[in-house]
Amino acid sequence: MSVPYYDYFVPTLTVKKPKAYLIPQAWWPVIERLKANHVVMKQLDQDTTVSVEAYRIESYQTSPRPYEGHYPHSDVKVSTHTQSIHFRKGDYYVECNQDKNRYLVETLEPTSPEGFFAWNFFDSILQQKEGFSDYVFEDLAAEFLKSHPEVRQKLEEKRTQDPAFAKNGRAQLEFVHKLSPYYEPEHMRYPVFRVL
């Protein structure tokens, strides 16, 4: 019997490999797994600020049932931003120009179905740890909107498009809070950074 042999697949998801990844040392479970797979890494020898590409998790789905002791994430959508991030002495710089580069990309990219994010290693970023008190933030929000007309415009557009939102004062404060400098920067920010 003749059996077709397919040695090429059309990718549904692609990502450009960065020059390197920067991983804060606090994420030691990931660091340990990279070491166990003989990934070449070096630790920063001093505190430094680096311009990096940072991901923000915009949406994801989580399995309702466990699989191999995890509740895997899927259908992950991200946005990217270039930011200057302060890294500490001891954080890990992982160059992608090594024989483990495919492993690095497949495990460190948040949209990868087999990556560390999919397997719940970074779930603590999904939990917002700091919020606001309505009675305190109302005045701060009013001042912030006066000096940021672009945010005021986004708020007005959202009110016009969503009648339920227009009637919900708490939701409007939350909307402004997320666009203000008072919002917790680590919430939903993927903690592995790309050096381009």
Side-chain angles (χ1 to χ4, degrees):
M1 181 171 100
S2 178
V3 179
Y5 174 66
Y6 300 99
D7 64 348
Y8 181 77
F9 297 90
V10 177
T12 57
L13 176 66
T14 60
V15 66
K16 187 174 180 181
K17 178 179 74 171
K19 177 183 174 186
Y21 291 102
L22 272 162
I23 309 170
Q25 59 198 298
W27 299 100
W28 58 267
V30 169
I31 299 296
E32 284 183 354
R33 280 158 180 81
L34 294 176
K35 287 179 179 177
N37 283 280
H38 308 290
V39 170
V40 177
M41 300 179 283
K42 66 177 183 178
Q43 289 184 273
L44 300 179
D45 55 10
Q46 62 183 11
D47 288 7
T48 185
T49 300
V50 181
S51 178
V52 294
E53 186 176 56
Y55 287 117
R56 182 163 294 282
I57 307 296
E58 298 295 341
S59 65
Y60 61 96
Q61 298 294 320
T62 301
S63 173
R65 292 185 178 86
Y67 177 72
E68 295 188 5
H70 296 265
Y71 287 83
H73 301 309
S74 61
D75 197 25
V76 179
K77 305 285 187 257
V78 297
S79 58
T80 57
H81 311 278
T82 301
Q83 292 181 272
S84 290
I85 304 283
H86 183 76
F87 294 93
R88 301 194 178 280
K89 177 181 178 179
D91 289 347
Y92 287 85
Y93 184 85
V94 186
E95 286 193 39
C96 288
N97 188 20
Q98 58 177 290
D99 64 355
K100 304 291 184 198
N101 67 58
R102 182 172 175 171
Y103 170 77
L104 288 169
V105 172
E106 288 183 3
T107 59
L108 294 179
E109 288 295 324
T111 55
S112 170
E114 294 301 325
F116 290 121
F117 179 76
W119 286 94
N120 309 123
F121 282 86
F122 297 114
D123 277 7
S124 62
I125 67 161
L126 305 175
Q127 303 163 3
Q128 188 172 354
K129 294 153 196 77
E130 296 183 20
F132 62 89
S133 298
D134 295 8
Y135 70 94
V136 174
F137 190 64
E138 282 177 346
D139 294 337
L140 292 171
E143 289 300 315
F144 178 72
L145 289 172
K146 281 181 190 175
S147 57
H148 293 85
E150 71 284 359
V151 175
R152 179 180 287 281
Q153 182 179 349
K154 286 181 184 178
L155 176 64
E156 293 303 329
E157 288 171 3
K158 177 90 169 152
R159 282 180 180 159
T160 303
Q161 295 168 358
D162 186 345
F165 177 80
K167 295 176 185 174
N168 188 333
R170 173 74 185 184
Q172 292 175 50
L173 278 177
E174 180 80 29
F175 181 88
V176 174
H177 181 248
K178 285 187 174 180
L179 296 173
S180 78
Y182 307 106
Y183 181 62
E184 178 185 345
E186 286 80 20
H187 179 231
M188 303 298 274
R189 184 174 74 184
Y190 187 64
V192 176
F193 304 93
R194 292 165 51 93
V195 179
L196 301 176

